[in-house]
Amino acid sequence: MVKARTRFHIAVFLAPAVLVYTAVMIVPLFDTLRLSFYRGGPEGAEFAGIANFRTLFGDPRWSASFWNALGNNFWFFLIHMAVQNPVGIALAAILSHPRLRFAALYRSAIFIPTILSFVIVGFAWKLILSPIWGIAPGILDAVGLKAFFAPWLGKEHYALTTLALVSVWQFVGIPMMLIYAALLSIPEEVLEAGEIDGLTGWAAFRKIKLPLILPSIGIISILTFVGNFNAFDLIYTAQGALAGPNFSTDILGTFLYRTFFGFQLQLGDPYMGSAIASAMFFIILAGVCLYLFGIQTRMRRYQF
């Protein structure tokens, strides 16, 4: 019997990445969780237990801002799930068609906004949608839709939805490319067997391709959830730290920024900021765990 060799070189190659990830992610995470149980005192940090969380959820001054930011975050996420991912799947299905000409050019054009800086995207769309010097009113006027234009970023009811759609425009290339790769990985024999049975076009996509790419759609859903609940840059660039108008675009990221670092006349409180960051972490963790539990339950149901 041949004894299995211990492959020490695997640990050697993984060690640098593990050390860097631990230094920039794991250590700050646990330090943030630790700070959330402290608060400032006359002699420095004092252990306060869950007092910061009681303040966050129980004090009307804090809880109103927290629940407003959490609700906005859910709306931001739902728009991405309802618009970005279906559009990404549709674009991937179209671009994966073997007879489509210039498919590579289309893929590059759709994916380019993904690599742009948040600052560029935020300021560019703020200028485009400006009712004073933006080009949006002129474009809508040229196609006879000038009556539908409004200062969307300046209205409480439309600002968050507008920024969510801007984010969809920027990141729709990610689900498109992931689904495109999943579609290309489907064996040709499976598609040919479907053609023999008379499945072509939409029927082939719905009955053959879609079930095979469901794992990729699940991964995209998790990435969308995590990414949207960590969002900050676009809102901060377009609407500032106050996430106006009247905090209508305030999400957990901007609420955390104002609390932790302070803004204008508001002093920073790293302990309450850590409590908000910890709440964000547990919300994301709970969402991912519930999603994975749902997938596991569904797989067990299919097995039996």
Side-chain angles (χ1 to χ4, degrees), residues 272-286:
M272 283 301 299
S274 298
I276 298 171
S278 299
M280 292 173 60
F281 169 74
F282 288 116
I283 289 170
I284 294 172
L285 182 63

Side-chain angles (χ1 to χ4, degrees), residues 257-273:
Y257 175 85
R258 292 195 310 273
T259 304
F260 198 103
F261 298 102
F263 186 74
Q264 293 181 352
L265 298 179
Q266 177 181 343
L267 297 177
D269 186 346
Y271 307 105
M272 283 301 299

Side-chain angles (χ1 to χ4, degrees), residues 122 125-126 129-130 150-155 158-159 162-163 238-239 244-245 249:
W125 277 98
K126 193 170 184 179
L129 298 175
S130 172
W152 293 302
L153 291 179
K155 292 192 172 184
Y158 304 119
T162 302
L163 289 175
Q239 303 294 85
T249 59

Side-chain angles (χ1 to χ4, degrees), residues 113-186:
T114 303
I115 63 177
L116 294 178
S117 167
F118 284 101
V119 177
I120 295 175
V121 172
F123 276 110
W125 277 98
K126 193 170 184 179
L127 292 174
I128 290 171
L129 298 175
S130 172
I132 300 176
W133 53 72
I135 63 173
I139 293 176
L140 291 177
D141 189 24
V143 296
L145 299 176
K146 179 69 177 293
F148 292 96
F149 178 78
W152 293 302
L153 291 179
K155 292 192 172 184
E156 294 183 25
H157 298 294
Y158 304 119
L160 183 62
T161 303
T162 302
L163 289 175
L165 293 176
V166 170
S167 179
V168 166
W169 168 84
Q170 182 179 10
F171 290 109
V172 72
I174 293 178
M176 179 197 72
M177 294 302 294
L178 291 175
I179 297 299
Y180 178 79
L183 290 172
L184 292 184
S185 67
I186 298 176

Side-chain angles (χ1 to χ4, degrees), residues 201-220:
W202 167 247
F205 179 81
R206 183 171 59 88
K207 295 184 177 181
I208 299 177
K209 295 180 179 179
L210 185 59
L212 294 175
I213 64 174
L214 282 179
S216 298
I217 295 176
I219 293 174
I220 291 170

